Amino acid sequence: QVLLVESGGGLVQAGGSLRLSCAASGGTFSRYRVAWFRQAPGKEREFVAAVTWASGNTYYTDSVKGRFTISRDNAKNTVHLQMTSLKPEDTADYYCAAGSSYGLAYRKSTYGYWGQGTQVTVSS
């Protein structure tokens, strides 16, 4: 069974940058789609970005296009989310997820494996 571990969260000022990482233990991402979701206090968990490992195809929600970049590192079996130009509304717990390469990228039901999350706080 695959265990996902997120890292890289923290406190930054508006306009700053963070790089989140999601490492897989006990398995490989090679046959999966890997995504980042986020959940702010009092709100539903929402899709942020995804990458299909085999093809490299990427997907982003409109609010992060041009600011966030998802990438994969096959040698390290790790997915990164590079976040730039951060805004206070980006504040949330960020979760890594892995699931079917053929499901809809933005749907939570596509993903069967979830990490425990890493907190991102953006101050104004």
Side-chain angles (χ1 to χ4, degrees):
Q1 188 173 17
V2 177
L3 175 66
L4 306 179
V5 179
E6 302 101 330
S7 62
L11 173 65
V12 298
Q13 293 184 336
S17 300
L18 282 173
R19 189 179 76 160
L20 306 183
S21 298
C22 174
S25 300
T28 177
F29 283 135
S30 63
R31 61 186 177 91
Y32 290 104
R33 175 172 291 139
V34 183
W36 289 93
F37 287 76
R38 66 187 181 186
Q39 187 166 19
K43 296 185 178 180
E44 297 294 318
R45 191 170 298 186
E46 66 173 354
F47 173 77
V48 178
V51 58
T52 301
W53 197 272
S55 67
N57 289 346
T58 58
Y59 311 83
Y60 299 93
T61 193
D62 286 345
S63 64
V64 308
K65 287 180 179 177
R67 299 190 298 122
F68 292 9
T69 302
I70 189 169
S71 62
R72 70 204 201 280
D73 186 332
N74 187 63
K76 298 180 179 179
N77 206 32
T78 299
V79 169
H80 302 286
L81 184 68
Q82 180 67 49
M83 306 186 294
T84 62
S85 301
L86 283 162
K87 305 174 181 179
E89 51 262 45
D90 295 318
T91 295
D93 290 330
Y94 283 71
Y95 297 87
C96 179
S100 172
S101 296
Y102 302 101
L104 295 175
Y106 54 86
R107 294 191 66 175
K108 292 188 288 290
S109 61
T110 295
Y111 305 95
Y113 298 100
W114 292 82
Q116 294 300 304
T118 186
Q119 189 173 63
V120 172
T121 302
V122 184
S123 62
S124 60

